[in-house]
């Protein structure tokens, strides 16, 4: 409410240029709208985290700087309304609407992402993620956050565009020991090898900050790279998921493809320094797509397809997962001429 700041149930109807809301009497909407929100020049914030105890909010700010806070019944409903309202706001720009729908299911993490930076922001006393005590199956946890709360926070702070991206980021934070699961539900989910299934976007799955999240790298693991192999022209770069050689687990890595000389390097996005954690020459390599029906030999865990394989001249096999068939094809096309 605008005069008395209480919360009331209203029936909303989205039109092309406005949002109407109706009063309910006896469970039915009245014939005339109680009010309307003109969408021209509106800005939308979703998720809106201004109310700590109301995580399902959408905020609309009109052209005249009037704020409307709308609470939905579920995260799915909230995100669906937000997408449709945003589409109506940009109705005169079909290209922008098309881009919004693409972003809903996108997988394109920020190129300069730093997990250290995200964790620092999460710890911020005023804008960080809210920590609450929780009890699960008789166990008391002092400072926790839920899976869906972290996903909302990542989106609202522009670290991710879609929930799928945010879940991927949250999984990376957990894999790299910045956060840890607590309670039966979240711990059970970590048994999946596939990155997208290890973290639960759920209001009953509990997580907390890990006591120590700075990994010490031994001198044996501190790989040295020749300056010349990093001097080539960058042909393509982006985030892919790679299977490890020893533990056979899957981790997100930033891949950089260079020509003259032809090398493919991969970087750990949790590390501040801009140096690769692995890489190899592409000369004499074989690259090919792997079929999506069944799990190919040499691949471990519950993978979701879009796999391709690179076999080096030294017969080392790299298994890499793209976010879509189109992205897999783009990487293969970019690598092949350099082999």
């Amino acid at each position: 409410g605008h005069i008395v700041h209480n919360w009331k149930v209203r029936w909303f109807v989205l039109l092309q240029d406005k949002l109407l809301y109706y009063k309910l009497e006896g469970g039915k909407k009245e014939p005339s709208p109680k009010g309307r929100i003109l969408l021209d020049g509106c800005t939308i914030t979703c998720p809106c985290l201004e109310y700590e105890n109301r995580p399902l909010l959408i905020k609309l700010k009109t052209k005249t700087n009037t704020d409307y806070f709308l609470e939905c019944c579920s995260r799915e409903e909230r995100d669906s309304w937000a997408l449709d309202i945003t589409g109506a706001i940009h109705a005169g720009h079909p290209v922008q609407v098309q881009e919004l729908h693409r972003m809903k299911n996108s997988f394109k993490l920020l190129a300069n992402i730093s997990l250290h930076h995200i964790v620092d922001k999460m710890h911020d006393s005023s804008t960080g993620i809210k920590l609450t005590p929780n009890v699960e199956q008789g166990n008391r946890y002092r400072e926790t956050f839920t899976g869906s709360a972290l996903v909302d926070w990542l989106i609202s702070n522009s670290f991710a565009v879609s929930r799928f991206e945010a879940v991927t980021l949250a999984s990376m934070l957990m894999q790299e020991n910045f956060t840890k699961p607590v309670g039966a539900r979240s711990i059970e989910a970590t048994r999946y090898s596939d990155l997208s299934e290890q973290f639960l976007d759920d209001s009953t799955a509990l997580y907390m900050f890990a006591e120590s999240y700075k990994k010490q790298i031994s001198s044996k693991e501190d790989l040295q790279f020749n300056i010349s192999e990093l001097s080539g022209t960058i042909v393509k770069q982006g985030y892919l998921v790679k299977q490890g050689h020893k533990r056979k687990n899957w981790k997100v890595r930033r891949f950089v493809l260079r020509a003259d000389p032809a090398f493919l390097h991969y970087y750990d996005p949790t590390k501040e320094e801009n140096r690769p954690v692995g890489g190899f020459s592409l000369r004499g390599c074989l690259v090919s797509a792997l079929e999506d029906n069944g799990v190919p030999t040499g691949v471990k865990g519950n993978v979701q397809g879009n796999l391709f394989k690179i076999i080096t001249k030294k017969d080392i096999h790299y298994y890499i997962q793209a976010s879509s068939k189109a992205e897999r094809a783009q990487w293969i096309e970019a690598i092949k001429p350099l082999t």
Side-chain angles (χ1 to χ4, degrees), residues 71-197:
E71 184 173 36
C72 300
C73 298
S74 67
R75 279 178 168 80
E76 292 76 19
E77 189 179 65
R78 179 198 65 188
D79 294 348
S80 176
W81 271 99
L83 189 73
D84 291 337
I85 292 170
T86 307
I89 291 171
H90 299 291
H93 307 279
V95 175
Q96 213 162 351
V97 175
Q98 191 178 1
E99 179 68 8
L100 285 165
H101 283 272
R102 186 199 64 77
M103 283 162 58
K104 184 185 178 186
N105 298 308
S106 71
F107 180 75
K108 191 179 179 183
L109 296 173
L110 298 172
N112 58 347
I113 196 168
S114 163
L115 295 189
H116 287 277
H117 176 61
I118 292 174
V119 173
D120 287 343
K121 287 283 187 184
M122 286 174 68
H123 275 96
D124 191 283
S125 56
S126 57
T127 60
I129 192 161
K130 304 301 177 190
L131 303 176
T132 56
N134 270 289
V135 178
E136 189 187 270
Q137 295 182 339
N139 294 318
R140 291 181 177 274
Y141 303 105
R142 230 174 46 173
E143 295 183 322
T144 64
F145 47 86
T146 66
S148 51
L150 177 54
V151 170
D152 284 348
W153 185 89
L154 289 167
I155 295 170
S156 68
N157 284 272
S158 302
F159 290 117
V161 172
S162 66
R163 299 195 79 77
F164 183 72
E165 280 185 12
V167 167
T168 304
L169 260 183
S171 299
M172 290 164 63
L173 289 168
M174 190 171 63
Q175 268 213 345
E176 301 300 335
N177 205 30
F178 289 95
T179 62
K180 66 178 183 180
V182 289
R185 286 211 65 212
S186 52
I187 290 174
E188 174 66 24
T190 60
R191 295 178 182 175
Y192 290 100
S193 293
D194 183 27
L195 194 70
S196 64
E197 294 182 10

Side-chain angles (χ1 to χ4, degrees), residues 238-288:
Y239 286 89
L240 296 164
V241 185
K242 173 187 164 293
Q243 181 177 268
H245 287 294
K246 293 178 183 176
R247 294 176 60 190
K248 305 297 181 186
N249 55 351
W250 292 86
K251 291 190 177 183
V252 172
R253 293 290 181 248
R254 179 170 65 87
F255 279 81
V256 178
L257 178 63
R258 293 181 172 90
D260 301 321
F263 274 85
L264 184 63
H265 292 100
Y266 48 94
Y267 297 73
D268 186 341
T270 67
K271 303 294 186 287
E272 293 286 353
E273 66 272 12
N274 189 32
R275 56 177 299 166
V277 293
F280 51 89
S281 169
L282 289 171
R283 294 299 176 203
C285 282
L286 296 174
V287 57
S288 61

Side-chain angles (χ1 to χ4, degrees), residues 193-195 241-251 288-311 317-322 328:
S193 293
D194 183 27
L195 194 70
V241 185
K242 173 187 164 293
Q243 181 177 268
H245 287 294
K246 293 178 183 176
R247 294 176 60 190
K248 305 297 181 186
N249 55 351
W250 292 86
K251 291 190 177 183
S288 61
L290 296 176
E291 294 301 324
D292 289 343
N293 51 342
V295 180
T297 306
V299 174
K300 303 291 183 183
N302 184 13
V303 295
Q304 291 194 334
N306 308 319
L307 288 168
F308 64 98
K309 177 170 73 170
I310 301 174
I311 305 174
H317 293 226
Y318 289 86
Y319 295 96
I320 301 166
Q321 187 175 178
R328 175 176 68 180

Side-chain angles (χ1 to χ4, degrees), residues 203-239:
S203 58
T204 61
L206 299 179
Y207 299 88
M208 64 192 300
F209 288 114
E211 288 84 0
S212 173
Y213 55 80
K214 289 187 177 179
K215 286 190 170 184
Q216 297 296 321
I217 302 172
S218 70
S219 57
K220 289 180 183 178
E221 295 173 318
D222 192 8
L223 301 172
Q224 299 295 321
F225 290 92
N226 192 313
I227 293 173
S228 64
E229 68 183 68
L230 297 171
S231 64
T233 305
I234 294 176
V235 176
K236 185 175 176 62
Q237 59 181 315
Y239 286 89

